[in-house]
Amino acid sequence: MTGHVVVETNVNLTIEPSVRVKFDGTYYLWIKGILKAVGTPTDRIIFTSNRENPSAGDWTGIFFSDSSIDAVFDENGNWINGSIIKYTIIEYGGGGSGPTTIGGGSGGILLYAACPFIDNNIFRYNGGSSAALFFNGYGSGSPVLSNNTIVSNGLAMNVQQGSPI
């Protein structure tokens, strides 16, 4: 990615297993619609730096705004629709600043009153003072986080006042 990318309202971005999304600077991926990034245990999707020698803060992060489509689950708790990030690696984020309309900030994933399903991911090497997961604002529900590994980040989580966590 050589610039900021915005997934607009009513747009669905699907990223397939084994894809590497490389950020060539402090750019962000801003979700206003739906992001479906679902890898497998052996073919993870990787969000990373495009630098030859990457370091924390090379890119900004993945941002979910309050207009993004929240995860929907069936009566047994199984995800059936909405935004999901599963079996990914999110590394070397946390630089620059995200969209000011959703609180700026940076980190691996920033949620602004958004409730995606975040499951079985690895967060590593994200920004010095930034967090692997950054929560800002309260929406109509709570994001669902499960089975994630958070290692070697500036902070594991940053929860702002008014957040559902």
Side-chain angles (χ1 to χ4, degrees):
M1 293 178 51
T2 58
H4 303 305
V5 173
V6 179
V7 178
E8 294 292 347
T9 305
N10 299 320
V11 173
N12 180 351
L13 172 61
T14 300
I15 301 174
E16 300 291 334
S18 297
V19 170
R20 293 179 72 91
V21 179
K22 294 182 175 185
F23 293 82
D24 198 16
T26 51
Y27 302 117
Y28 53 75
L29 175 59
W30 182 3
I31 310 302
K32 295 180 178 180
I34 295 177
L35 173 62
K36 294 180 182 175
V38 181
T40 71
T42 57
D43 291 314
R44 290 182 180 269
I45 296 165
I46 300 174
F47 295 91
T48 191
S49 168
N50 192 37
R51 294 190 182 185
E52 187 174 323
N53 297 305
S55 62
D58 281 353
W59 59 286
T60 304
I62 302 169
F63 295 82
F64 287 87
S65 65
D66 57 350
S67 68
S68 66
I69 305 302
D70 294 340
V72 178
F73 300 88
D74 67 16
E75 63 277 356
N76 297 317
N78 299 307
W79 174 86
I80 55 174
N81 202 2
S83 292
I84 180 173
I85 296 182
K86 184 172 184 172
Y87 293 120
T88 73
I89 297 173
I90 299 170
E91 60 186 10
Y92 303 113
S97 183
T100 56
T101 57
I102 59 172
S106 62
I109 293 179
L110 182 137
L111 306 177
Y112 180 76
C115 302
F117 183 33
I118 301 172
D119 182 46
N120 277 290
N121 301 288
I122 298 170
F123 294 86
R124 62 187 184 196
Y125 319 130
N126 292 292
S129 62
S130 299
L133 293 158
F134 189 102
F135 302 92
N136 187 358
Y138 184 76
S140 60
S142 295
V144 176
L145 297 101
S146 62
N147 305 306
N148 294 290
T149 301
I150 301 173
V151 295
S152 300
N153 294 278
L155 298 169
M157 287 193 221
N158 187 341
V159 182
Q160 299 294 305
Q161 184 175 0
S163 295
I165 301 292

Short mmCIF file of all heavy atoms in Angstrom, two decimals, residues 77-110:
data_model
loop_
_atom_site.label_atom_id
_atom_site.label_comp_id
_atom_site.label_asym_id
_atom_site.label_seq_id
_atom_site.Cartn_x
_atom_site.Cartn_y
_atom_site.Cartn_z
N GLY A 77 -23.08 -18.77 19.07
CA GLY A 77 -21.88 -17.94 19.19
C GLY A 77 -20.93 -18.05 18.01
O GLY A 77 -19.79 -17.59 18.08
N ASN A 78 -21.37 -18.63 16.91
CA ASN A 78 -20.55 -18.75 15.71
C ASN A 78 -20.72 -17.51 14.83
O ASN A 78 -21.85 -17.07 14.59
CB ASN A 78 -20.94 -19.99 14.91
CG ASN A 78 -20.73 -21.26 15.70
OD1 ASN A 78 -19.65 -21.50 16.22
ND2 ASN A 78 -21.78 -22.07 15.82
N TRP A 79 -19.60 -16.97 14.34
CA TRP A 79 -19.65 -15.81 13.46
C TRP A 79 -20.37 -16.18 12.18
O TRP A 79 -20.11 -17.23 11.58
CB TRP A 79 -18.23 -15.34 13.15
CG TRP A 79 -18.16 -14.24 12.15
CD1 TRP A 79 -18.27 -12.90 12.40
CD2 TRP A 79 -18.00 -14.36 10.73
NE1 TRP A 79 -18.18 -12.19 11.22
CE2 TRP A 79 -18.01 -13.06 10.20
CE3 TRP A 79 -17.85 -15.44 9.87
CZ2 TRP A 79 -17.88 -12.81 8.84
CZ3 TRP A 79 -17.71 -15.19 8.51
CH2 TRP A 79 -17.72 -13.89 8.01
N ILE A 80 -21.28 -15.29 11.72
CA ILE A 80 -21.98 -15.55 10.46
C ILE A 80 -21.86 -14.40 9.47
O ILE A 80 -22.04 -14.60 8.27
CB ILE A 80 -23.47 -15.92 10.67
CG1 ILE A 80 -24.20 -14.86 11.49
CG2 ILE A 80 -23.59 -17.29 11.33
CD1 ILE A 80 -25.71 -15.10 11.60
N ASN A 81 -21.57 -13.18 9.95
CA ASN A 81 -21.48 -12.05 9.03
C ASN A 81 -20.84 -10.85 9.73
O ASN A 81 -20.64 -10.86 10.93
CB ASN A 81 -22.87 -11.67 8.51
CG ASN A 81 -22.80 -10.89 7.20
OD1 ASN A 81 -21.73 -10.67 6.65
ND2 ASN A 81 -23.95 -10.48 6.70
N GLY A 82 -20.53 -9.83 8.95
CA GLY A 82 -19.93 -8.61 9.48
C GLY A 82 -18.42 -8.68 9.43
O GLY A 82 -17.82 -9.58 8.86
N SER A 83 -17.78 -7.69 10.05
CA SER A 83 -16.32 -7.58 10.00
C SER A 83 -15.64 -8.63 10.87
O SER A 83 -16.06 -8.89 12.00
CB SER A 83 -15.89 -6.18 10.44
OG SER A 83 -16.30 -5.22 9.49
N ILE A 84 -14.58 -9.21 10.31
CA ILE A 84 -13.83 -10.26 11.00
C ILE A 84 -12.36 -10.20 10.59
O ILE A 84 -12.05 -9.96 9.42
CB ILE A 84 -14.42 -11.67 10.68
CG1 ILE A 84 -13.64 -12.77 11.40
CG2 ILE A 84 -14.49 -11.92 9.19
CD1 ILE A 84 -14.27 -14.16 11.29
N ILE A 85 -11.50 -10.40 11.57
CA ILE A 85 -10.06 -10.58 11.33
C ILE A 85 -9.69 -11.85 12.07
O ILE A 85 -9.76 -11.92 13.30
CB ILE A 85 -9.24 -9.39 11.82
CG1 ILE A 85 -9.60 -8.13 11.03
CG2 ILE A 85 -7.75 -9.68 11.70
CD1 ILE A 85 -8.81 -6.91 11.42
N LYS A 86 -9.31 -12.88 11.31
CA LYS A 86 -9.05 -14.19 11.90
C LYS A 86 -7.85 -14.84 11.21
O LYS A 86 -7.74 -14.80 9.99
CB LYS A 86 -10.28 -15.09 11.76
CG LYS A 86 -10.14 -16.43 12.42
CD LYS A 86 -11.47 -17.17 12.41
CE LYS A 86 -11.34 -18.48 13.18
NZ LYS A 86 -12.64 -19.13 13.34
N TYR A 87 -6.99 -15.41 12.01
CA TYR A 87 -5.76 -16.07 11.51
C TYR A 87 -4.92 -15.10 10.68
O TYR A 87 -4.60 -15.35 9.52
CB TYR A 87 -6.08 -17.34 10.73
CG TYR A 87 -6.66 -18.44 11.58
CD1 TYR A 87 -7.92 -18.97 11.32
CD2 TYR A 87 -5.95 -18.96 12.66
CE1 TYR A 87 -8.45 -19.97 12.11
CE2 TYR A 87 -6.47 -19.96 13.45
CZ TYR A 87 -7.73 -20.47 13.17
OH TYR A 87 -8.26 -21.46 13.95
N THR A 88 -4.59 -13.98 11.29
CA THR A 88 -3.69 -13.01 10.65
C THR A 88 -2.50 -12.76 11.56
O THR A 88 -2.50 -13.12 12.73
CB THR A 88 -4.39 -11.66 10.37
OG1 THR A 88 -4.57 -10.95 11.59
CG2 THR A 88 -5.72 -11.84 9.65
N ILE A 89 -1.50 -12.12 10.98
CA ILE A 89 -0.38 -11.56 11.75
C ILE A 89 -0.39 -10.07 11.47
O ILE A 89 -0.40 -9.64 10.30
CB ILE A 89 0.97 -12.18 11.32
CG1 ILE A 89 0.98 -13.68 11.63
CG2 ILE A 89 2.13 -11.46 12.02
CD1 ILE A 89 2.19 -14.42 11.09
N ILE A 90 -0.41 -9.27 12.53
CA ILE A 90 -0.39 -7.81 12.39
C ILE A 90 0.89 -7.34 13.08
O ILE A 90 1.03 -7.47 14.30
CB ILE A 90 -1.65 -7.19 13.01
CG1 ILE A 90 -2.88 -7.72 12.25
CG2 ILE A 90 -1.57 -5.68 12.96
CD1 ILE A 90 -4.20 -7.39 12.89
N GLU A 91 1.83 -6.83 12.26
CA GLU A 91 3.15 -6.51 12.80
C GLU A 91 3.69 -5.20 12.23
O GLU A 91 3.35 -4.79 11.13
CB GLU A 91 4.13 -7.64 12.49
CG GLU A 91 4.32 -7.91 11.01
CD GLU A 91 5.19 -9.12 10.71
OE1 GLU A 91 5.53 -9.91 11.62
OE2 GLU A 91 5.54 -9.28 9.52
N TYR A 92 4.52 -4.54 13.05
CA TYR A 92 5.25 -3.32 12.68
C TYR A 92 4.35 -2.11 12.45
O TYR A 92 4.75 -1.14 11.82
CB TYR A 92 6.16 -3.55 11.46
CG TYR A 92 7.16 -4.65 11.67
CD1 TYR A 92 7.09 -5.83 10.95
CD2 TYR A 92 8.16 -4.51 12.62
CE1 TYR A 92 8.01 -6.86 11.16
CE2 TYR A 92 9.08 -5.53 12.85
CZ TYR A 92 8.99 -6.70 12.11
OH TYR A 92 9.89 -7.72 12.33
N GLY A 93 3.12 -2.12 12.97
CA GLY A 93 2.22 -0.98 12.89
C GLY A 93 2.50 0.00 14.02
O GLY A 93 3.45 -0.15 14.79
N GLY A 94 1.64 1.00 14.12
CA GLY A 94 1.72 1.93 15.24
C GLY A 94 2.45 3.23 14.97
O GLY A 94 2.68 4.00 15.88
N GLY A 95 2.78 3.52 13.73
CA GLY A 95 3.44 4.79 13.41
C GLY A 95 2.43 5.78 12.86
O GLY A 95 1.31 5.43 12.52
N GLY A 96 2.81 7.01 12.78
CA GLY A 96 1.93 8.03 12.22
C GLY A 96 0.68 8.22 13.05
O GLY A 96 0.64 7.91 14.23
N SER A 97 -0.37 8.71 12.41
CA SER A 97 -1.64 8.95 13.09
C SER A 97 -2.77 8.60 12.16
O SER A 97 -2.71 8.88 10.97
CB SER A 97 -1.74 10.42 13.52
OG SER A 97 -2.93 10.63 14.24
N GLY A 98 -3.79 8.00 12.72
CA GLY A 98 -4.95 7.60 11.93
C GLY A 98 -5.90 8.75 11.66
O GLY A 98 -5.60 9.91 11.98
N PRO A 99 -7.05 8.43 11.09
CA PRO A 99 -8.03 9.46 10.75
C PRO A 99 -8.47 10.25 11.99
O PRO A 99 -8.87 9.66 12.99
CB PRO A 99 -9.20 8.66 10.18
CG PRO A 99 -8.66 7.30 9.89
CD PRO A 99 -7.51 7.09 10.78
N THR A 100 -8.38 11.57 11.93
CA THR A 100 -8.74 12.38 13.09
C THR A 100 -10.22 12.29 13.41
O THR A 100 -10.62 12.47 14.55
CB THR A 100 -8.35 13.85 12.87
OG1 THR A 100 -8.98 14.31 11.67
CG2 THR A 100 -6.85 14.01 12.76
N THR A 101 -11.05 11.96 12.42
CA THR A 101 -12.49 11.85 12.67
C THR A 101 -12.84 10.66 13.55
O THR A 101 -13.94 10.58 14.08
CB THR A 101 -13.29 11.74 11.35
OG1 THR A 101 -12.81 10.62 10.62
CG2 THR A 101 -13.16 13.00 10.54
N ILE A 102 -11.90 9.72 13.72
CA ILE A 102 -12.15 8.61 14.64
C ILE A 102 -11.08 8.57 15.73
O ILE A 102 -10.71 7.53 16.23
CB ILE A 102 -12.27 7.24 13.92
CG1 ILE A 102 -11.01 6.89 13.12
CG2 ILE A 102 -13.48 7.22 13.02
CD1 ILE A 102 -11.02 5.47 12.57
N GLY A 103 -10.62 9.74 16.09
CA GLY A 103 -9.75 9.84 17.25
C GLY A 103 -8.26 9.77 17.00
O GLY A 103 -7.48 9.74 17.93
N GLY A 104 -7.84 9.73 15.73
CA GLY A 104 -6.40 9.66 15.45
C GLY A 104 -5.81 8.40 16.02
O GLY A 104 -6.39 7.33 15.95
N GLY A 105 -4.64 8.51 16.62
CA GLY A 105 -4.01 7.35 17.23
C GLY A 105 -3.41 6.41 16.21
O GLY A 105 -3.47 6.63 15.01
N SER A 106 -2.81 5.36 16.73
CA SER A 106 -2.22 4.34 15.87
C SER A 106 -2.07 3.06 16.67
O SER A 106 -2.21 3.04 17.88
CB SER A 106 -0.88 4.80 15.32
OG SER A 106 0.04 5.00 16.38
N GLY A 107 -1.80 1.98 15.98
CA GLY A 107 -1.64 0.68 16.62
C GLY A 107 -1.93 -0.41 15.61
O GLY A 107 -2.20 -0.13 14.44
N GLY A 108 -1.89 -1.64 16.04
CA GLY A 108 -2.21 -2.73 15.13
C GLY A 108 -3.63 -2.60 14.61
O GLY A 108 -3.88 -2.50 13.42
N ILE A 109 -4.59 -2.57 15.55
CA ILE A 109 -6.00 -2.36 15.22
C ILE A 109 -6.55 -1.31 16.16
O ILE A 109 -6.34 -1.37 17.37
CB ILE A 109 -6.82 -3.67 15.36
CG1 ILE A 109 -6.40 -4.69 14.31
CG2 ILE A 109 -8.32 -3.38 15.24
CD1 ILE A 109 -7.14 -6.01 14.40
N LEU A 110 -7.28 -0.34 15.61
CA LEU A 110 -7.96 0.67 16.40
C LEU A 110 -9.45 0.55 16.14
O LEU A 110 -9.88 0.51 14.98
CB LEU A 110 -7.49 2.07 16.03
CG LEU A 110 -8.13 3.19 16.85
CD1 LEU A 110 -7.08 4.22 17.25
CD2 LEU A 110 -9.28 3.85 16.13
#
